[in-house]
Amino acid sequence: MPQLLLGPLLRHVDTRSATVWVETDAPCTVEVAGASAHTFTVAGHHYALVVITGLEPGTSTPYEVLLDGERVWPLPDFPPSRIRTFPDSGDPEFLMVFGSCRMPESHDPAERRSMGTDALAAYARRMLDQDERDWPDSLMLLGDQVYADETTKATREWIAKRRGLETPPAAEVADFEEYTRLYHESWSTPLPRWLMSTVPTSMIFDDHDVRDDWNTSQTWRDEMEQTSWWADRERGALATYWIYQHIGNLSPEDLAEEEIYDKVLVTGREGDAADVLRDFADRARNEVNGRKGTRWSYRRDFGNVRLLVIDTRSGRILSGGARSMVGDGEFEWIEEHADGNYDHLLIGSSLPWLMPHAINHLQSMNEVACRRPGRRGRLAEWLRQTADLEHWPSFRASYDRLTRLILRIAKGNAATVCVLSGDVHHVYAARARFPEPVNAAVYQLTCSPVHNRIELLMRPVFVAAWWRPLAAVLRRWMYRSPQINPLPVEWDKLSGPYFGNAIATLRTSGRRAEMVVERADGGADDPHLVPLPTLTLTEG
């Protein structure tokens, strides 16, 4: 009898359809809520994405998972997983939970103490006692779902038995098979697993899903390409990301237009689609004429709320002297899909757009310094990689273009434009100010980590980075360079910085919006959430 290894993950949900993702230990037919799909095979692993159609708007449907007719889900002691479709009219209350940077739960006592309480597990524990009408409508995971370069003790022991730790990349993961281990370790914990089976989940990768500082610069890529292991590492990262994260981000209509999806299904149901995805990953990782081989950015609509998720890692253009967060073609796609009839635009970006002022200015200066020839340029590049100076402000042309897009939307009919981000291992909210009138309230909302740690020495650094006198000094220094244009936006910190594991909730009702951040406490045995002050974004 086939066994359910991972999932079910409830992924895309709209008014009448849903997709549910699973991994099994053998080829089989997967049935969910009256729909079925046969698994496809990649490198000996078996997956299915079940597309469920014909649902009624505004309904809640409990579901089971059957493999070849045998029930394997729900788990004992957990309530049934549910598919809750969105209503097709009106502007009901909408609740999105978001955050980034989640290490797996560990059985090692030292790692448990270091990582603290998993905020996602704490949120799931609370949901068990709630009426489903209080459950979130969406979960947005903004990067670092797995850590390929910071493995747990258990994974290091597993790698040591598989290939040893004597040769590079040592305790870091090396290929597709080792990536699958990371996803199993991260997503198999019962509480988060149940949560993701009943809350529609959107995802995007960040650097640790591949490697710290991934695509920081062309110099960084050149250094990686000189190693004996990088090609297989990046190839495995992109292939597993496509399977475990990307295809679930897409609507049934988008899946029907995804050419590689059809190829993988056809090949993987008759044999093994490993070569198909290997070739795809090679195209996806290459930059050709200022373009990348695939687009990972995507869009979702939730009634009067639009979510537009930007790939800020794989889509970077680095060669040929040009630096862009995404290529022109993808930016045009983003700008096109930012237009629409909605009240709230949520821009999902793993990396913050508006950062602490001192860090913002330092990154813009560093980008210019890295262009210098000789020792000064090499020193600036060393600083860029060492200090992680590779966020939106260090891609200044892209930063300005994103700001122009946000300004254009804010001058229209939207009530709010919110950039949702993670990455920086602390929590803060900032409100943008523009040199011309706007109709929408514009915010940077950052929540990280969900389950990780921040070095104690970094906490005062982030606090100081918001200090206005320091920012003013760096700003004057920045504007000494004729290559740096005046900032197109100003911003004020409204809350934070907060440190420790946390999860953020964005709630909208009509044109009203608010955010609350909750800190995780209690450890693995008693995970619970402690709310921080609510931030009103607009009265509506």
Side-chain angles (χ1 to χ4, degrees):
M1 173 183 166
Q3 300 296 314
L4 183 66
L5 296 181
L6 207 56
L9 272 72
L10 181 60
R11 298 304 312 274
H12 190 280
V13 175
D14 54 33
T15 57
R16 296 182 179 273
S17 68
T19 62
V20 174
W21 180 97
V22 300
E23 181 178 356
T24 65
D25 71 343
C28 61
T29 297
V30 183
E31 297 177 63
V32 180
S36 65
H38 198 275
T39 56
F40 59 88
T41 301
V42 180
H45 296 260
H46 313 285
Y47 310 95
L49 185 67
V50 182
V51 178
I52 305 156
T53 59
L55 299 171
E56 290 297 318
T59 58
S60 176
T61 304
Y63 72 88
E64 300 174 338
V65 177
L66 288 75
L67 305 183
D68 285 346
E70 296 291 332
R71 192 180 80 161
V72 295
W73 186 270
L75 294 174
D77 303 323
F78 280 85
S81 302
R82 308 187 77 88
I83 300 170
R84 293 171 299 136
T85 56
F86 293 92
D88 59 4
S89 62
D91 296 325
E93 187 173 273
F94 172 74
L95 195 66
M96 172 177 279
V97 177
F98 69 94
S100 82
C101 307
R102 180 175 174 267
M103 289 286 285
E105 194 65 74
S106 173
H107 296 291
D108 180 72
E111 287 184 336
R112 279 196 170 193
R113 288 192 298 272
S114 174
M115 296 299 168
T117 305
D118 182 354
L120 204 60
Y123 203 101
R125 172 64 62 85
R126 185 171 67 191
M127 284 176 60
L128 293 176
D129 298 324
Q130 288 179 318
D131 188 291
E132 68 171 282
R133 289 173 294 185
D134 297 322
W135 291 354
D137 302 294
S138 177
L139 169 65
M140 179 75 237
L141 297 175
L142 288 158
D144 295 343
Q145 273 67 261
V146 294
Y147 278 74
D149 51 351
E150 298 179 14
T151 52
T152 62
K153 180 180 179 181
T155 293
R156 292 194 296 272
E157 292 173 349
W158 179 84
I159 291 174
K161 293 177 182 177
R162 181 175 187 254
R163 58 171 168 84
L165 303 177
E166 296 76 22
T167 58
E172 299 183 24
V173 302
D175 55 23
F176 181 97
E177 184 65 28
E178 293 179 9
Y179 264 102
T180 65
R181 158 84 186 190
L182 296 185
Y183 282 102
H184 281 241
E185 187 178 42
S186 182
W187 290 357
S188 60
T189 310
L191 281 167
R193 185 180 182 184
W194 173 78
L195 184 151
M196 290 192 289
S197 75
T198 204
V199 178
T201 305
S202 309
M203 306 177 184
I204 193 67
F205 44 27
D206 199 14
D207 55 344
H208 290 284
D209 292 87
V210 182
R211 196 173 200 260
D212 188 29
D213 299 337
W214 180 37
N215 287 343
T216 289
S217 63
Q218 187 59 46
T219 300
W220 185 92
R221 285 204 64 87
D222 291 343
E223 292 170 354
M224 289 295 103
E225 294 290 355
Q226 296 303 310
T227 69
S228 61
W229 50 269
W230 174 249
D232 277 344
R233 164 73 159 272
E234 190 175 35
R235 189 180 293 123
L238 293 176
T240 51
Y241 176 79
W242 185 90
I243 296 169
Y244 287 83
Q245 299 194 50
H246 177 65
I247 57 176
N249 289 329
L250 305 180
S251 68
E253 294 77 16
D254 291 334
L255 283 171
E257 297 177 0
E258 183 93 343
E259 182 180 354
I260 185 65
Y261 184 67
D262 287 336
K263 290 182 179 179
V264 169
L265 290 186
V266 170
T267 306
R269 287 172 177 171
E270 297 175 352
D272 195 303
D275 289 342
V276 175
L277 270 184
R278 177 188 177 92
D279 292 343
F280 166 77
D282 280 337
R283 294 193 303 273
R285 63 194 290 265
N286 290 329
E287 178 184 330
V288 180
N289 297 325
R291 294 177 178 269
K292 301 303 286 277
T294 192
R295 187 187 73 237
W296 305 106
S297 302
Y298 61 95
R299 168 190 143 190
R300 283 189 172 183
D301 288 326
F302 309 96
N304 68 331
V305 177
R306 173 161 296 179
L307 173 65
L308 186 59
V309 181
I310 301 176
D311 161 27
T312 58
R313 283 292 175 182
S314 181
R316 294 179 177 188
I317 303 301
L318 303 170
S319 65
R323 278 174 54 83
S324 302
M325 192 64 85
V326 296
D328 285 342
E330 186 160 347
F331 229 127
E332 290 167 4
W333 182 93
I334 293 165
E335 290 165 335
E336 175 189 350
H337 286 264
D339 291 323
N341 182 24
Y342 52 76
D343 290 319
H344 306 278
L345 175 63
L346 311 181
I347 299 177
S349 166
S350 63
L351 304 179
W353 163 55
L354 302 179
M355 302 193 70
H357 296 93
I359 294 175
N360 179 94
H361 305 339
L362 184 61
Q363 292 204 17
S364 291
M365 289 189 290
N366 178 260
E367 181 184 30
V368 172
C370 287
R371 301 175 193 151
R372 294 173 177 169
R375 185 174 61 181
R376 294 177 71 182
R378 292 193 297 271
L379 178 61
E381 178 63 35
W382 173 84
L383 180 61
R384 170 155 62 190
Q385 295 187 29
T386 302
D388 291 341
L389 305 180
E390 37 83 39
H391 298 76
W392 280 98
S394 72
F395 289 78
R396 185 55 191 276
S398 297
Y399 174 95
D400 289 358
R401 186 170 181 175
L402 178 63
T403 302
R404 290 194 298 271
L405 169 62
I406 292 172
L407 174 60
R408 176 169 63 82
I409 299 301
K411 291 166 67 175
N413 296 321
T416 66
V417 180
C418 299
V419 180
L420 312 182
S421 304
D423 180 70
V424 291
H425 285 211
H426 66 290
V427 178
Y428 66 90
R431 181 162 184 171
R433 292 184 284 111
F434 296 95
E436 53 189 293
V438 296
N439 300 318
V442 178
Y443 296 93
Q444 170 68 61
L445 307 176
T446 304
C447 182
S448 164
V450 170
H451 186 220
N452 207 317
R453 62 189 180 276
I454 182 171
E455 300 296 335
L456 291 179
L457 289 176
M458 290 303 298
R459 297 189 180 195
V461 171
F462 285 127
V463 172
W466 285 107
W467 191 41
R468 287 288 190 176
L470 175 61
V473 171
L474 289 173
R475 185 188 186 102
R476 286 195 295 270
W477 190 9
M478 175 176 67
Y479 283 157
R480 291 172 58 186
S481 171
Q483 300 179 59
I484 301 178
N485 294 324
L487 286 167
V489 62
E490 301 290 343
W491 61 100
D492 301 301
K493 178 176 65 68
L494 300 182
S495 65
Y498 302 121
F499 300 100
N501 295 337
I503 198 85
T505 301
L506 180 69
R507 185 189 305 271
T508 70
S509 181
R511 293 178 65 82
R512 188 177 185 277
E514 65 180 26
M515 183 185 76
V516 62
V517 175
E518 296 175 281
R519 178 174 52 83
D521 204 352
D525 297 328
D526 181 30
H528 59 271
L529 297 171
V530 179
L532 300 174
T534 298
L535 179 63
T536 299
L537 305 179
T538 177
E539 296 295 341

